[in-house]
Amino acid sequence: MDNNYKQYEEAAELLKVLAHPVRLCIVRGLLEKGGCNVTNMQNCLEMPQSTISQHLQKLRSVGIIKGERNGLEVVYEIADKRVEAIINAILK
């Protein structure tokens, strides 16, 4: 067995979090736009803000995205550069 098993666990967790259509859409949108707030995502995805916020929290929990407060809004952007290669590989 590989001594770096922990890296496989981390990679699997990353893939599990990405394995949802809404989260894939959010991540792809952030890669294309650079940064975005929940209101813009809500308008784009046509979903309730609470639903989008739940998905954002899941993405933040594994370090895929980060949020930076700008006044009253939080602007989200990609924090893990590995995600771009994954998205490019599976979404053409």
Side-chain angles (χ1 to χ4, degrees), residues 2-31:
D2 194 324
N3 290 337
N4 292 327
Y5 190 74
K6 183 143 180 71
Q7 83 181 43
Y8 297 118
E9 289 177 329
E10 290 171 2
E13 189 61 32
L14 180 83
L15 293 171
K16 277 193 277 186
V17 171
L18 284 174
H20 190 284
V22 172
R23 292 193 285 268
L24 281 173
C25 185
I26 289 171
V27 170
R28 186 176 202 185
L30 289 174
L31 285 168

Side-chain angles (χ1 to χ4, degrees), residues 21-87:
V22 172
R23 292 193 285 268
L24 281 173
C25 185
I26 289 171
V27 170
R28 186 176 202 185
L30 289 174
L31 285 168
E32 290 172 357
K33 293 182 192 310
C36 194
N37 64 27
V38 176
T39 304
N40 289 342
M41 290 180 207
Q42 185 180 5
N43 293 337
C44 181
L45 293 169
E46 298 178 353
M47 294 181 172
Q49 183 174 336
S50 60
T51 302
I52 294 169
S53 292
Q54 288 174 351
H55 288 291
L56 290 170
Q57 180 55 37
K58 192 80 167 162
L59 291 165
R60 282 179 80 169
S61 72
V62 295
I64 293 173
I65 65 169
K66 62 183 175 182
E68 191 169 309
R69 185 160 293 284
N70 184 5
L72 295 175
E73 69 180 10
V74 177
V75 176
Y76 293 95
E77 60 186 32
I78 300 300
D80 188 332
K81 298 303 177 194
R82 297 176 296 174
V83 171
E84 186 170 5
I86 294 168
I87 297 299

